[in-house]
Amino acid sequence: MVDNNILQGKKHLHFIGIGGSGMYPLAQILHSEGYYITGSDNNETDTLAAVRKMGIPVYLGQRAENIAGADLIVHTAAIMSDNPELIAAKASGVPVLERCELLGLITRRYHHAICVSGTHGKTTTSSILTQILTEAGIDPSAVIGGKLPLIGGSGRVGKSDIMVCESCEYVDTFLHLSPDIAVILNIDRDHMEYFKTLERLISSFRKFAEMATKSLIVNGDDANTMKAVEGLGKETVTFGWSDTNDYYPANIGRIDDCFHSYDLMYRGSKRCTIKLYIPGKHNILNSMAAAAAAFAVGATPEQVAAGIADFRGAGRRFEILGKCNGAVIADDYAHHPAELKVTLEAAKELHYKRVWAVFQPFTYSRTAMLLDDFAKVLPIADKVVMTEIMGSREKNTYNIYTKDLAAKIDGSVWFPTFEEVADYLRQNITEGDLVITLGCGDVYKIAKMLVQ
């Protein structure tokens, strides 16, 4: 574990990969505390524009000279070991931290660090929780994996001793955190290039749960989650569909034929009526998890109901961006088959004439290992259009290509460039259609091309 005093006496912090959704809020928090921050990244993004707006200098392109003058350097897990800037950082004699180590250090500053984990739903749940607590005047700090409109970004600096922290299991990064309240939404096969087996993945979540100093909030209907927390002897609150859980929904109804309402029950008693203005039945579970965490740090039923009713989604979570040819253009971060399934099912419930799934596979390992699962869920959409795989931190040792996935989906098409995808869509989408770009890479750029 990183020395809690490592930031003492430091003035200039440099972030390699500052445009990452997890790096930006850390830069926000430390910038607000008076540290001089610089950063670098390889691609222009909306996040980089927001970083610059804060007055933080950003270098485009990663080079050894970018670290000059820094007395502490932070990098993301996605930065490869042969990156020239990271090589220079490690040779400089200056302390070098991975992002998760710095985040862990920050969580230890709070008495109520609520760490939200799970294979799916982390960003939405963290965002709902932040919305509830911020609107209630509880004034949390937050580090979220997506943009929350209420706070104008993916992080905020609060004055209370409460922090909301999205906690990712990728390469065990969440084991660097110090949760007081650990939330586990679900455990599903992902990042298998690292974990290798489901048992090892469950074991990592168990270690995460063991670190909670106050309580656990877990999905009581998810067998993998319950296996992870079995016999830990910690105060445990469950949520789920059935009334065997502490929190469960009753009287599930519809709002405007698109959204859901329900009575939030706690051990047989109604706490409040929830109106949920984001699509998809799966978000009932996410909202219950957020409500349970909000209650744990003092929010009232009225504050929980109001915060959830005001929530309209996080950035890149079924985010409506505009129109093209009369078709509605949306964007979503879904990149795992289970996420694609619930997102596309939610899209189909909205009664558009046709749903177009525009999918960018992310990482060669995930695409190769879950190829058949992707092939099963993408046809939930009426039309499937794909880009080439975004390799990100990997090299294509799997010899896998988008054409391999397209061969398994009747009627699907794929194109090497975003421009070709956008051109194809412009020529084929019509009024009454819904186009949703899907993936955790930069596929959102296609949605923006269409809207512009």
Side-chain angles (χ1 to χ4, degrees):
M1 198 170 275
V2 172
D3 179 4
N4 284 345
N5 299 312
I6 197 167
L7 287 173
Q8 240 173 8
K10 304 292 188 292
K11 293 176 181 168
H12 176 182
L13 314 182
H14 181 73
F15 285 63
I16 307 175
I18 199 167
S21 60
M23 290 282 262
Y24 169 56
L26 299 186
Q28 251 182 319
I29 289 170
L30 294 167
H31 178 71
S32 76
E33 292 180 5
Y35 290 97
Y36 175 64
I37 310 285
T38 58
S40 67
D41 219 304
N42 280 327
N43 299 301
E44 280 293 355
T45 60
D46 294 345
T47 305
L48 276 199
V51 169
R52 287 196 181 99
K53 202 170 176 185
M54 287 162 58
I56 294 174
V58 177
Y59 306 104
L60 204 60
Q62 288 169 341
R63 296 175 293 275
E65 57 266 29
N66 293 348
I67 68 165
D71 45 23
L72 187 136
I73 298 163
V74 188
H75 66 97
T76 67
I79 301 294
M80 289 187 167
S81 58
D82 60 356
N83 182 291
E85 199 165 321
L86 182 58
I87 291 168
K90 288 183 172 174
S92 68
V94 167
V96 178
L97 298 181
E98 201 172 289
R99 173 208 171 254
C100 58
E101 294 175 312
L102 179 62
L103 180 57
L105 182 66
I106 290 172
T107 60
R108 291 194 283 283
R109 296 178 175 187
Y110 294 85
H111 289 114
H112 299 284
I114 307 168
C115 295
V116 180
S117 74
T119 311
H120 320 295
K122 294 184 290 292
T123 298
T124 297
T125 304
S126 301
S127 298
I128 295 172
L129 177 56
T130 301
Q131 180 109 16
I132 294 167
L133 298 180
T134 304
E135 283 194 6
I138 292 172
D139 200 19
S141 295
V143 174
I144 307 169
K147 292 175 187 169
L148 175 60
L150 177 73
I151 63 175
S154 54
R156 83 183 294 271
V157 185
K159 293 189 172 66
S160 74
D161 64 355
I162 296 166
M163 179 187 189
V164 178
C165 178
E166 182 170 335
S167 310
C168 184
E169 75 279 11
Y170 172 65
V171 298
D172 281 330
T173 52
F174 63 174
L175 299 185
H176 291 276
L177 308 181
S178 294
D180 296 299
I181 299 170
V183 181
I184 304 178
L185 301 170
N186 43 62
I187 302 174
D188 200 355
R189 289 179 180 276
D190 198 13
H191 307 302
M192 284 296 118
E193 79 288 356
Y194 173 74
F195 289 107
K196 310 298 183 194
T197 67
L198 180 61
E199 288 65 36
R200 285 182 59 180
L201 175 62
I202 291 170
S203 172
S204 275
F205 273 94
R206 185 175 184 83
K207 288 175 192 164
F208 173 72
E210 281 172 339
M211 296 192 302
T213 61
K214 293 188 171 72
S215 64
L216 305 174
I217 297 171
V218 301
N219 184 340
D221 292 345
D222 184 66
N224 292 336
T225 297
M226 294 312 288
K227 188 175 176 185
V229 301
E230 186 181 8
L232 285 184
K234 290 185 183 284
E235 182 186 329
T236 303
V237 174
T238 59
F239 64 91
W241 297 112
S242 67
D243 61 9
T244 56
N245 294 290
D246 296 310
Y247 288 97
Y248 59 94
N251 304 316
I252 297 173
R254 286 282 192 172
I255 308 169
D256 301 334
D257 206 30
C258 295
F259 308 113
H260 291 96
S261 65
Y262 66 94
D263 291 336
L264 178 60
M265 307 297 290
Y266 178 70
R267 296 181 181 174
S269 299
K270 177 181 164 182
R271 298 218 72 175
C272 53
T273 296
I274 300 294
K275 292 182 176 177
L276 191 60
Y277 290 99
I278 48 175
K281 201 173 177 186
H282 61 288
N283 280 315
I284 292 176
L285 288 178
N286 292 333
S287 64
M288 285 196 295
F295 287 133
V297 291
T300 66
E302 295 74 22
Q303 288 168 338
V304 166
I308 294 174
D310 288 342
F311 181 71
R312 292 297 185 276
R316 303 220 59 221
R317 271 61 180 184
F318 218 120
E319 184 179 11
I320 305 293
L321 298 177
K323 285 193 167 184
C324 175
N325 295 356
V328 171
I329 311 299
D331 175 57
D332 195 274
Y333 194 75
H335 56 281
H336 181 281
E339 295 162 357
L340 292 168
K341 182 175 188 287
V342 294
T343 301
L344 291 173
E345 284 174 347
K348 291 289 280 187
E349 284 182 359
L350 299 177
H351 308 301
Y352 285 95
K353 190 171 71 183
R354 295 179 297 181
V355 173
W356 293 72
V358 182
F359 179 53
Q360 178 188 46
F362 189 79
T363 72
Y364 304 112
S365 58
R366 184 185 284 114
T367 308
M369 291 174 180
L370 301 177
L371 191 69
D372 289 339
D373 295 326
F374 283 121
K376 274 185 205 138
V377 298
L378 283 166
I380 293 170
D382 301 292
K383 299 284 185 180
V384 179
V385 184
M386 290 179 284
T387 74
E388 196 44 273
I389 298 166
M390 184 174 189
S392 180
R393 53 191 173 253
E394 295 180 344
K395 305 230 181 332
N396 192 2
T397 55
Y398 297 84
N399 196 30
I400 185 85
Y401 299 92
T402 297
K403 65 179 170 57
D404 303 316
L405 179 55
K408 291 176 175 280
I409 303 172
D410 288 345
S412 68
V413 295
W414 67 276
F415 299 94
T417 69
F418 285 180
E419 288 76 13
E420 289 167 287
V421 173
D423 286 344
Y424 175 82
L425 290 166
R426 283 191 203 100
Q427 289 164 27
N428 289 282
I429 58 177
T430 56
E431 187 151 357
D433 288 351
L434 170 69
V435 178
I436 183 160
T437 50
L438 298 154
C440 63
D442 58 352
V443 68
Y444 65 86
K445 291 176 180 175
I446 294 171
K448 294 196 169 182
M449 285 178 193
L450 294 174
V451 171
Q452 285 161 7

